[in-house]
Amino acid sequence: MRRNAGDVSTTPQTHCDSKIDEEVAKLLQLKAQLGGEDGKHQFVLKTPKGTRDYNPKQMAIREKVFNTIISCFKRHGAETIDTPVFELKETLTGKYGEDSKLIYDLKDQGGELLSLRYDLTVPFARYLAMNKITNIKRYHIAKVYRRDNPAMTRGRYREFYQCDFDIAGQYDAMIPDAECLKIVHEILSELQLGEFCIKVNDRRILDGMFAVCGVPDEKFRTICSTVDKLDKMSWEDVKKEMVNEKGLSEEAADQIGEYVSMRGGMDLAERLLQDQKMCQNKQACAGLSDIKLLFSYLQLFQVTDKVVFDLSLARGLDYYTGVIYEAVLTQAGVPPLASDSQNGASSEESAGVGSVAGGGRYDGLVGMFDPKGRKVPCVGVSIGIERIFSIMEQKAEASAEKVRTTEVQVMVASAQKNLLEERLRLVTELWNAGIKAEVMYKKNPKLLSQLQHCEEGGVPLVAILGEQELKDGVVKLRVVSTREEVDISRADLIAEIKRRTSEA
Amino acid sequence: MRRNAGDVSTTPQTHCDSKIDEEVAKLLQLKAQLGGEDGKHQFVLKTPKGTRDYNPKQMAIREKVFNTIISCFKRHGAETIDTPVFELKETLTGKYGEDSKLIYDLKDQGGELLSLRYDLTVPFARYLAMNKITNIKRYHIAKVYRRDNPAMTRGRYREFYQCDFDIAGQYDAMIPDAECLKIVHEILSELQLGEFCIKVNDRRILDGMFAVCGVPDEKFRTICSTVDKLDKMSWEDVKKEMVNEKGLSEEAADQIGEYVSMRGGMDLAERLLQDQKMCQNKQACAGLSDIKLLFSYLQLFQVTDKVVFDLSLARGLDYYTGVIYEAVLTQAGVPPLASDSQNGASSEESAGVGSVAGGGRYDGLVGMFDPKGRKVPCVGVSIGIERIFSIMEQKAEASAEKVRTTEVQVMVASAQKNLLEERLRLVTELWNAGIKAEVMYKKNPKLLSQLQHCEEGGVPLVAILGEQELKDGVVKLRVVSTREEVDISRADLIAEIKRRTSEA
């Protein structure tokens, strides 16, 4: 998900607080370096502010979410690329408006001036220009970095994942754009996050609307930022900001107010094409025609049930040039983000209550990197995975089902002492046959502790060795869930384990 | 693969050259910022020094290698964790000896002092201490960062992957250690990189050997570094360095020379336990007994064919406390690294011609993070994936088989004009059935260009729509490789595609 640029409403109060927090943290770190009271060197045992470790349970959930997303990207024929975690500072300059101050820079240790990547879109554009690639459909899943005010309980971190899918190339209008929306629809449906809605608009319609409502050209961007707040402020407050703070005429504001309350589907686009004022603006007409075309493709893709043409959608990033969209979870139970606006959050994260994906068309970005300014039209979507992780984690917590953190199928155990060698011999057989197996790293573990390990870790089977079993050439196979035990001959063991674990 | 610390043999000449290179790069960047000759702002289109993008072909190879490695880690019951790409600077301090100067620091932008991670072992130890975890078997695959002199054609980068598998916990001796070697054996066998050899030694044997040969205590580390060069220098040169540069007596050097020429298996450990001098040293005896025990487990794991007890193996990192090992590709055809020693490379990368994995036991590292110094014994291995990527890429280049970068099973194509809607309708059916499919984003693409796209991308099937097919309620299914075409009824199409693609 691309957060908005150019609209960081940090209040002086929170800014100051966070500055104090940071300075205190630095002093504590220095104190720790100087040594504790016992003169011993003390470490501050933590991860950096706004970051976290993923424990095995969180990783299991993360893997599941990634698999769903990657399967979808692959189903749509995407290749994947990777880029370095840092770029030349210069590469990121001038792409993010005011949000540039949130970029992490590396220390100048001699050599190039470097910054951590802020999103995956700018590195993608740099990659296309550098390799003179004019068409590609690629996905990229990687961490990006922003020195934002973290709100980790709500899934906002300074280090976080983005899952981007983009289509670059000169194609017929709205076909790739529609596929991006199809992909968002597929992923959010498959992840079963509850009801959702995908809002669609177009930069050209917004600009055209501002023009016909009498907004002066130089105020387009700032009025656009104010419109973007409609999902967390009432129209009255938005109007007040336009008139009192941004100096717009009351008449213009009222006209905008009429438009931005409109939402619908293809019918709305058709109606606005007939609108006396709108139809006079060339840009708006082009945008509205494209929205109409987009909806016709969305019908064929069978996703119009969740897509709404919403004139109040105004994503902040500078680089969008055409259609824009944002997916929002609408079901109750999604942790609210209402207080974000008081926390100095940049506006996109707080944009939708439960905003989980966003994107749009950016036809000019690659040209900014090309020495001759050659353009490569692009459209893409970014899935906001951290929010989805939070929801999936909460669901996992609430559910009775245990999250497994390993895939072990069999524990090789022994009922008596002095059978370590026999256990190692058997587990080797299983590994060599491709079975996921483990033994305890003890010479003489208790049977009970071996069984307990299986119950806790969700290991479905135990292969138990004892003197008698060895004499008889069998292994006692125990089903952990039912405690049922059955003797299997050594020769049949691998086939039996494979049969039982493929059933599950 | 953990590179050695404390042994960066940068000559003044190369040091100076690299400094000049860096300054030139910085000036060129500044010049570019000031604008080109036409006064237009110019970008430097490159990735930072020592880094690279992965294109789709490289990603396909990377995915294959990762899948092999992850499958093996999972087969052995490992969980996975993730940690942030940067740590508090303090966390990394004092862990890497002289190599600390290769750590990337972040700029102080207010807040904590941060550094990019240098390996995955120190963050793992920090994670264990911070969460008070006393036993875990985990893998971690992630990028690490070193401001080293890159040698990218030989697979040495400033940003590179490590694939670590570690077992933490108080267990019976040598059982987890043996499993780490089993894992290296499985991975290198499965990747089919050619012949390999896993060298094993023990820090305690090295230290004991130095003691009985009369090396003064304070020279253990530096003499150890010199021994470590035996795989790229002759014994004569190593001896010269010991005597002339490090001030060791000729007699002591000769005694070391006898030991470090020894290699063997369990028999060698038994022989050295009887060695008049060695058996007097308690440390050496403990190490030798453990090597004996290790080999008995390796026999059960069926991997002794590739493991050699080699007294010249002396990995550099400070934190190893017991068994150490390193896997080396021995087959001809592996790009040589001989010139590394003249390039100011840190010693491990250049250690083995074709060194691809390394690790050992580090029982003290977690205790360095624990406020009460509580120890958690650990043993682990790190797979040096960049070298393996290079080899796999070369193999792919040399092979006639094309590397596919997408998994598309069917292209939905049309033979006539004005069938876009029909194509979109059909591709939707396929996507909804879980089939990997694509269409060209053109209203009226030429059939030839649709077929060409399939041939180039390795797409096996084309579903062709035409007026006649639509009338007849069929789709023409074309097999790209044989050019065979057959009409399939719409109702049977999905089953037929699934049947044909599961065969492949």
Side-chain angles (χ1 to χ4, degrees):
Chain A
M1 184 166 41
R2 298 174 183 100
R3 300 185 192 167
N4 281 351
D7 187 44
V8 183
S9 54
T10 315
T11 65
Q13 181 54 42
T14 54
H15 201 89
C16 194
D17 280 355
S18 102
K19 189 77 195 153
I20 290 171
D21 284 352
E22 281 174 349
E23 290 301 325
V24 167
K26 217 186 307 186
L27 287 170
L28 283 174
Q29 218 178 322
L30 281 169
K31 187 186 159 204
Q33 278 173 41
L34 292 169
E37 274 145 43
D38 54 355
K40 227 192 120 205
H41 187 88
Q42 296 281 322
F43 287 100
V44 185
L45 264 181
K46 66 183 285 294
T47 62
K49 185 180 176 190
T51 69
R52 60 163 167 176
D53 296 318
Y54 284 80
N55 66 33
K57 213 177 198 172
Q58 292 165 326
M59 287 298 280
I61 293 167
R62 183 172 120 178
E63 198 179 318
K64 211 179 128 194
V65 174
F66 279 165
N67 283 345
T68 303
I69 293 172
I70 293 171
S71 296
C72 178
F73 291 162
K74 286 187 173 177
R75 192 161 57 240
H76 286 265
E79 311 178 290
T80 185
I81 66 161
D82 195 17
T83 64
V85 81
F86 41 65
E87 294 277 347
L88 298 183
K89 186 175 168 57
E90 170 74 1
T91 299
L92 307 190
T93 304
K95 308 297 185 304
Y96 303 107
E98 280 184 34
D99 276 4
S100 295
K101 68 174 183 293
L102 302 180
I103 294 174
Y104 277 98
D105 291 330
L106 269 72
K107 191 169 148 184
D108 182 0
Q109 294 169 287
E112 299 160 333
L113 301 174
L114 307 174
S115 301
L116 297 185
R117 63 184 162 210
Y118 184 84
D119 65 9
L120 302 177
T121 309
V122 168
F124 175 55
R126 190 265 307 147
Y127 174 82
L128 294 185
M130 187 173 137
N131 296 288
K132 299 192 171 49
I133 294 167
T134 53
N135 62 302
I136 189 172
K137 177 162 56 179
R138 82 89 181 81
Y139 70 90
H140 189 186
I141 296 184
K143 288 175 179 174
V144 301
Y145 299 87
R146 301 184 185 180
R147 295 179 56 256
D148 219 334
N149 273 330
M152 312 209 303
T153 50
R154 288 191 299 273
R156 190 170 63 238
Y157 294 89
R158 289 182 159 197
E159 175 187 60
F160 60 98
Y161 268 99
Q162 292 200 324
C163 302
D164 281 24
F165 174 97
D166 294 81
I167 300 170
Q170 188 69 58
Y171 298 119
D172 281 323
M174 294 297 117
I175 315 177
D177 314 59
E179 189 171 7
C180 289
L181 296 176
K182 169 75 173 158
I183 281 170
V184 174
H185 192 281
E186 284 182 16
I187 289 172
L188 295 183
S189 302
E190 280 174 49
L191 289 174
Q192 298 184 293
L193 300 168
E195 285 301 312
F196 62 90
C197 158
I198 309 172
K199 300 181 199 170
V200 175
N201 199 2
D202 192 295
R203 264 292 162 83
R204 293 164 298 173
I205 299 175
L206 281 166
D207 286 352
M209 175 182 83
F210 293 140
V212 303
C213 293
V215 178
D217 282 13
E218 71 278 8
K219 287 193 175 160
F220 278 18
R221 292 280 306 115
T222 181
I223 294 299
C224 196
S225 292
T226 308
V227 166
D228 200 29
K229 295 177 184 170
L230 265 174
D231 49 9
K232 52 179 193 285
M233 275 164 64
S234 68
W235 166 248
E236 283 67 37
D237 289 338
V238 166
K239 185 182 162 184
K240 247 182 238 161
E241 186 175 312
M242 285 181 179
V243 176
N244 301 343
E245 289 177 35
K246 313 244 161 133
L248 197 66
S249 74
E250 187 143 345
E251 199 197 340
D254 284 336
Q255 287 187 37
I256 291 173
E258 269 179 52
Y259 284 119
V260 296
S261 67
M262 295 178 180
R263 40 191 61 81
M266 193 192 281
D267 54 314
L268 176 58
E270 276 164 352
R271 195 144 47 87
L272 285 168
L273 275 170
Q274 309 298 325
D275 181 278
Q276 270 204 326
K277 280 185 294 178
M278 279 290 214
C279 71
Q280 282 166 25
N281 184 286
K282 224 174 130 186
Q283 281 231 69
C285 282
L288 288 165
S289 301
D290 274 350
I291 290 281
K292 244 186 86 178
L293 191 58
L294 178 70
F295 268 91
S296 74
Y297 296 146
L298 295 177
Q299 268 166 15
L300 295 167
F301 285 157
Q302 304 170 9
V303 295
T304 42
D305 60 325
K306 307 284 189 196
V307 185
V308 179
F309 173 31
D310 183 332
L311 274 90
S312 73
L313 176 69
R315 293 175 60 74
L317 280 179
D318 279 357
Y319 51 61
Y320 290 122
T321 54
V323 66
I324 50 177
Y325 33 82
E326 186 167 292
V328 177
L329 299 182
T330 53
Q331 208 168 31
V334 174
L337 282 168
S339 61
D340 268 5
S341 54
Q342 281 109 54
N343 269 343
S346 70
S347 68
E348 173 175 339
E349 277 304 271
S350 54
V353 172
S355 162
V356 288
R361 178 161 284 283
Y362 51 101
D363 288 347
L365 189 59
V366 178
M368 289 177 72
F369 288 105
D370 190 278
K372 292 183 181 161
R374 278 168 296 211
K375 287 189 178 179
V376 177
C378 293
V379 64
V381 64
S382 189
I383 312 287
I385 208 64
E386 306 296 336
R387 177 73 53 82
I388 292 173
F389 285 154
S390 303
I391 296 169
M392 301 288 277
E393 273 184 66
Q394 283 170 30
K395 276 172 81 172
E397 285 296 326
S399 138
E401 215 181 318
K402 237 179 161 175
V403 178
R404 283 200 68 183
T405 57
T406 78
E407 297 177 10
V408 176
Q409 298 166 313
V410 203
M411 149 81 74
V412 174
S414 58
Q416 286 127 354
K417 287 196 169 184
N418 302 320
L419 291 172
L420 173 62
E421 293 202 357
E422 291 300 337
R423 282 190 290 133
L424 295 185
R425 205 168 271 137
L426 180 56
V427 79
T428 302
E429 266 180 58
L430 300 182
W431 284 333
N432 292 352
I435 289 170
K436 293 165 193 152
E438 61 180 345
V439 282
M440 291 201 110
Y441 304 121
K442 298 268 181 185
K443 279 188 191 163
N444 296 308
K446 288 181 186 144
L447 183 59
L448 191 67
S449 67
Q450 295 171 84
L451 296 179
Q452 245 166 5
H453 175 89
C454 294
E455 301 231 359
E456 280 161 16
V459 179
L461 298 171
V462 194
I464 305 174
L465 290 170
E467 297 294 349
Q468 193 56 48
E469 284 79 11
L470 287 167
K471 254 181 231 155
D472 298 347
V474 299
V475 170
K476 202 179 279 307
L477 198 62
R478 179 184 168 110
V479 179
V480 176
S481 60
T482 61
R483 299 181 181 189
E484 164 209 352
E485 291 185 350
V486 53
D487 281 354
I488 311 278
S489 89
R490 282 293 276 261
D492 298 336
L493 183 65
I494 285 166
E496 182 63 23
I497 291 171
K498 285 193 173 170
R499 196 183 61 77
R500 283 172 183 261
T501 48
S502 69
E503 266 171 12
Chain B
M1 187 166 40
R2 296 173 185 102
R3 300 185 192 168
N4 281 351
D7 186 46
V8 183
S9 54
T10 316
T11 64
Q13 181 54 43
T14 54
H15 201 90
C16 194
D17 279 355
S18 103
K19 188 78 198 155
I20 289 170
D21 283 352
E22 281 173 351
E23 291 301 325
V24 168
K26 217 187 304 187
L27 287 170
L28 283 174
Q29 217 178 322
L30 282 169
K31 186 186 160 205
Q33 279 174 39
L34 292 170
E37 274 145 43
D38 54 355
K40 226 193 123 205
H41 187 88
Q42 296 281 321
F43 287 101
V44 185
L45 264 181
K46 67 184 284 292
T47 62
K49 184 182 176 188
T51 69
R52 60 163 167 178
D53 296 319
Y54 283 81
N55 66 32
K57 215 176 195 173
Q58 291 165 327
M59 287 298 280
I61 292 168
R62 183 172 120 178
E63 197 178 318
K64 212 179 127 193
V65 174
F66 280 165
N67 283 344
T68 303
I69 292 172
I70 292 171
S71 296
C72 178
F73 291 162
K74 286 188 172 177
R75 192 161 57 240
H76 286 264
E79 310 178 290
T80 186
I81 67 162
D82 196 16
T83 64
V85 80
F86 42 64
E87 294 278 346
L88 298 183
K89 186 175 168 57
E90 170 75 0
T91 299
L92 306 190
T93 303
K95 307 299 185 304
Y96 304 106
E98 280 184 33
D99 275 4
S100 295
K101 68 174 184 294
L102 302 180
I103 293 174
Y104 277 98
D105 291 330
L106 269 72
K107 191 168 149 185
D108 182 359
Q109 293 169 289
E112 299 159 333
L113 301 174
L114 307 173
S115 301
L116 297 185
R117 63 183 162 210
Y118 185 83
D119 65 9
L120 302 178
T121 310
V122 168
F124 176 54
R126 191 266 306 147
Y127 175 82
L128 295 185
M130 188 173 136
N131 296 287
K132 299 193 171 49
I133 293 167
T134 54
N135 62 303
I136 189 172
K137 177 162 56 180
R138 83 88 182 80
Y139 70 89
H140 189 186
I141 296 184
K143 288 175 178 173
V144 301
Y145 299 86
R146 301 185 185 180
R147 295 181 56 257
D148 219 334
N149 272 331
M152 313 210 304
T153 50
R154 288 193 299 273
R156 190 169 64 240
Y157 293 89
R158 289 183 159 196
E159 174 187 60
F160 60 97
Y161 268 99
Q162 291 200 324
C163 303
D164 280 24
F165 173 97
D166 294 81
I167 300 170
Q170 189 68 58
Y171 297 119
D172 282 323
M174 293 298 116
I175 314 177
D177 314 59
E179 190 171 6
C180 288
L181 295 176
K182 169 75 174 157
I183 282 170
V184 174
H185 191 281
E186 284 182 16
I187 289 171
L188 295 183
S189 302
E190 280 174 50
L191 289 174
Q192 299 183 293
L193 300 167
E195 286 301 310
F196 63 90
C197 159
I198 308 172
K199 298 182 201 170
V200 175
N201 198 4
D202 192 297
R203 265 292 161 83
R204 293 164 298 171
I205 299 174
L206 281 166
D207 285 352
M209 175 182 82
F210 293 140
V212 303
C213 293
V215 178
D217 282 15
E218 71 278 9
K219 287 193 174 158
F220 278 17
R221 293 279 305 118
T222 181
I223 294 299
C224 196
S225 291
T226 308
V227 166
D228 199 31
K229 296 178 184 168
L230 265 175
D231 49 8
K232 51 178 193 286
M233 274 163 66
S234 67
W235 165 248
E236 284 67 39
D237 290 338
V238 166
K239 186 182 162 184
K240 246 183 238 159
E241 186 175 311
M242 284 181 180
V243 176
N244 300 344
E245 288 178 36
K246 312 241 161 136
L248 196 67
S249 74
E250 187 143 344
E251 199 197 339
D254 283 337
Q255 287 187 36
I256 291 172
E258 269 180 52
Y259 284 119
V260 297
S261 67
M262 295 178 180
R263 41 192 61 82
M266 193 193 279
D267 54 315
L268 176 58
E270 276 164 353
R271 196 144 47 85
L272 285 169
L273 275 170
Q274 308 300 324
D275 182 277
Q276 269 202 326
K277 279 186 295 180
M278 279 290 213
C279 70
Q280 283 165 26
N281 185 286
K282 224 174 129 186
Q283 282 231 70
C285 283
L288 288 165
S289 301
D290 274 350
I291 290 281
K292 245 185 85 179
L293 190 59
L294 178 70
F295 268 90
S296 74
Y297 296 146
L298 295 177
Q299 268 165 14
L300 295 166
F301 285 157
Q302 303 171 9
V303 295
T304 43
D305 60 325
K306 306 284 190 197
V307 184
V308 179
F309 173 32
D310 184 331
L311 273 90
S312 72
L313 177 68
R315 293 175 61 73
L317 279 180
D318 280 356
Y319 51 61
Y320 291 122
T321 54
V323 66
I324 49 177
Y325 32 81
E326 187 167 291
V328 178
L329 299 182
T330 53
Q331 209 167 31
V334 175
L337 283 167
S339 61
D340 270 4
S341 55
Q342 282 108 54
N343 268 343
S346 67
S347 68
E348 173 174 339
E349 278 304 88
S350 54
V353 172
S355 163
V356 288
R361 178 162 283 283
Y362 51 102
D363 288 347
L365 189 59
V366 178
M368 289 177 72
F369 288 106
D370 189 280
K372 292 183 181 161
R374 278 168 296 211
K375 286 188 177 179
V376 177
C378 293
V379 64
V381 63
S382 189
I383 311 288
I385 208 64
E386 306 296 336
R387 178 74 50 82
I388 292 173
F389 286 153
S390 303
I391 296 169
M392 301 288 277
E393 272 184 67
Q394 283 169 30
K395 275 172 81 173
E397 286 296 326
S399 138
E401 215 181 316
K402 237 178 159 176
V403 177
R404 282 200 68 182
T405 58
T406 79
E407 298 177 10
V408 176
Q409 298 166 314
V410 203
M411 150 80 76
V412 174
S414 57
Q416 287 127 353
K417 288 197 168 184
N418 302 320
L419 290 173
L420 173 63
E421 293 203 358
E422 290 300 336
R423 282 190 290 133
L424 295 185
R425 204 168 272 137
L426 180 56
V427 79
T428 302
E429 265 180 58
L430 300 182
W431 285 332
N432 291 352
I435 289 170
K436 293 165 195 154
E438 62 180 345
V439 282
M440 291 202 110
Y441 304 121
K442 298 267 182 186
K443 279 187 190 163
N444 295 309
K446 287 180 186 146
L447 183 59
L448 192 67
S449 66
Q450 295 173 84
L451 296 179
Q452 245 166 6
H453 175 90
C454 294
E455 302 232 357
E456 280 161 16
V459 179
L461 298 171
V462 194
I464 306 173
L465 291 170
E467 297 293 350
Q468 193 56 48
E469 284 80 9
L470 286 168
K471 253 182 233 156
D472 298 347
V474 299
V475 171
K476 201 178 280 306
L477 198 62
R478 179 184 168 108
V479 179
V480 176
S481 60
T482 62
R483 299 183 180 185
E484 165 208 352
E485 291 186 350
V486 53
D487 282 354
I488 310 279
S489 90
R490 281 294 276 260
D492 299 336
L493 183 66
I494 285 166
E496 182 63 22
I497 291 171
K498 284 192 176 174
R499 196 182 62 74
R500 283 172 183 262
T501 48
S502 69
E503 266 171 15

